[in-house]
């Protein structure tokens, strides 16, 4: 006996919701470079877990300072032996993983004093890490995919201009991707003006070390909604999470809570991109990304 299908408004809503992609598959981004025991950059990319890896950090730049990279125990920048990672970068890119240099971090000495300073730093980044040329390229000849802004000093001066100058280099050939890692209170004290340029491809918001917008005690969903509706990105927004309780002072979300309680609401944003994990070392220790990847 044939079964007759009765169309209903509810069925229409469910079909439209599916077509609109309300439950979206996302990517994982991770920070690498701050623990010598986390494995190589190639190890991270060969894991199959990540779409973006941020090499962290260029922790000294601007204000007339000689730029300096800090990769913890991975290499010794003054000796020039960090160029060993050039082949790692090309391995990552051959796996479809985008590799970016992250500027700033929680420590270090950095800032921009003027438009001219921003232009000078942009030129340094282009020549030493991107598509330009320099005899002193710290990571070797491999061309990175872009620049990540992890600016945490509270001083936003001229980072909007740095983003603008970097974006202009895309016309010379390979696109320069721009990403940023603001804190979850909106607007971010350090990156507010830069993000208003609309030049960023992906934004991974740090939902940790900020109790007012953390899960479960703070308003994570409200902060997420504000970010995703207030800032234009050409790619997507990522929920930034610590990979373990040791990775941040607060804000750890267990894999079970992330997949069952947090991601369903986060994925409702049309510009949802995935999650960002801080950091690779803690991700290896806790197997965080591998536990949640299928749900992201």
């Amino acid at each position: 006996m044939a079964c007759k299908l009765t169309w209903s408004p509810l069925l229409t809503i469910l079909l439209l919701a599916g077509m609109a992609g309300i439950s979206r598959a996302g990517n994982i981004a991770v920070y690498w470079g701050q623990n010598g025991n986390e494995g190589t950059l190639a190890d991270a990319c060969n894991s199959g877990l990540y779409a973006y890896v941020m090499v962290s950090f260029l922790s000294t730049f601007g204000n007339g300072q000689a730029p300096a990279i800090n990769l913890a125990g991975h290499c010794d920048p003054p000796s020039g032996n960090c160029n060993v990672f050039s082949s790692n970068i090309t391995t990552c890119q051959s796996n479809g993983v985008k590799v970016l240099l992250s500027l700033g971090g929680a420590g270090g000495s950095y800032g921009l004093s003027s438009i001219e300073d921003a232009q000078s730093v942009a030129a340094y980044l282009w020549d030493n890490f991107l598509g330009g040329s320099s005899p002193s390229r710290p990571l070797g000849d491999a061309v990175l995919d872009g620049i990540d802004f992890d600016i945490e000093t509270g001083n936003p001066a001229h980072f909007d201009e740095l983003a603008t100058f970097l974006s202009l280099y895309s016309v010379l050939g390979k696109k320069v991707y721009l990403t940023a890692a603001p804190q979850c209170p909106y607007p971010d004290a350090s990156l507010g003006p830069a993000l208003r340029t609309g030049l960023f491809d992906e934004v991974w918001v740090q939902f940790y070390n900020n109790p007012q917008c953390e899960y479960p005690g703070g308003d994570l969903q409200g902060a997420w909604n504000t970010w995703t509706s207030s800032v234009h990105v050409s790619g997507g927004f990522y929920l930034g999470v610590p990979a373990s309780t040791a990775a941040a002072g607060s804000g750890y979300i267990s894999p079970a809570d992330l997949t069952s309680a947090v991601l369903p609401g986060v994925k409702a944003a049309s510009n949802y991109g995935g999650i960002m994990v801080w950091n690779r070392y803690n991700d290896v220790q806790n197997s965080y990304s591998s536990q949640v990847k299928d749900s992201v």
Side-chain angles (χ1 to χ4, degrees):
M1 183 172 66
C3 178
K4 182 179 180 181
L5 177 63
T6 301
W7 199 265
S8 70
L10 177 60
L11 183 58
T12 301
I13 291 170
L14 291 174
L15 286 172
L16 289 174
M19 291 170 63
I22 283 181
S23 181
R24 298 178 172 80
N27 294 317
I28 301 178
V30 72
Y31 282 82
W32 174 93
Q34 287 302 292
N35 192 302
N37 296 316
E38 65 193 330
T40 67
L41 181 59
D43 291 337
C45 295
N46 288 334
S47 70
L49 294 170
Y50 314 115
Y52 293 88
V53 176
M54 283 71 71
V55 176
S56 52
F57 291 103
L58 187 75
S59 56
T60 301
F61 64 86
N63 293 317
Q65 303 174 96
I69 195 168
N70 176 350
L71 296 181
H74 286 288
C75 57
D76 178 44
S79 72
N81 71 353
C82 295
N83 60 10
V84 67
F85 291 110
S86 184
S87 61
N88 283 218
I89 293 165
T90 55
T91 294
C92 292
Q93 293 167 334
S94 68
N95 289 340
V97 179
K98 289 184 171 58
V99 184
L100 299 94
L101 175 68
S102 187
L103 310 180
S109 173
Y110 58 87
L112 299 170
S113 59
S114 64
I115 295 175
E116 293 75 18
D117 196 14
Q119 186 171 22
S120 175
V121 170
Y124 169 81
L125 294 170
W126 171 255
D127 287 337
N128 287 274
F129 296 98
L130 300 169
S133 61
S134 166
S136 62
R137 291 176 68 93
L139 299 178
D141 292 334
V143 177
L144 297 181
D145 293 287
I147 301 296
D148 175 66
F149 288 50
D150 184 14
I151 308 303
E152 302 187 26
T153 63
N155 182 357
H158 306 295
F159 285 103
D160 52 345
E161 290 145 348
L162 178 60
T164 300
F165 287 126
L166 286 170
S167 71
L168 295 175
Y169 283 109
S170 290
V171 303
L172 298 182
K174 182 178 178 180
K175 173 180 168 58
V176 177
Y177 282 84
L178 297 180
T179 66
Q183 308 290 314
C184 56
Y186 180 87
D188 183 78
S190 302
L191 288 168
L195 290 170
R196 285 195 291 272
T197 64
L199 294 172
F200 286 81
D201 296 282
E202 318 285 351
V203 172
W204 11 85
V205 185
Q206 299 182 43
F207 282 88
Y208 48 92
N209 296 332
N210 290 282
Q212 65 268 46
C213 39
E214 292 174 1
Y215 174 88
D219 186 11
L220 183 150
Q221 187 65 54
W224 174 261
N225 292 345
T226 298
W227 275 104
T228 56
S229 63
S230 302
V231 174
H232 169 76
V233 293
S234 59
F237 278 90
Y238 288 57
L239 183 81
V241 296
S244 71
T245 55
S250 63
Y252 176 71
I253 307 172
S254 71
D257 282 353
L258 181 76
T259 57
S260 66
V262 176
L263 283 180
V266 166
K267 284 187 171 186
S270 62
N271 48 9
Y272 168 76
I275 67 170
M276 175 273 282
V277 175
W278 172 264
N279 55 24
R280 170 64 179 167
Y281 172 76
N282 289 284
D283 205 16
V284 171
Q285 299 302 308
N286 197 33
S287 299
Y288 193 89
S289 290
S290 61
Q291 293 183 69
V292 303
K293 181 173 176 60
D294 290 343
S295 300
V296 170

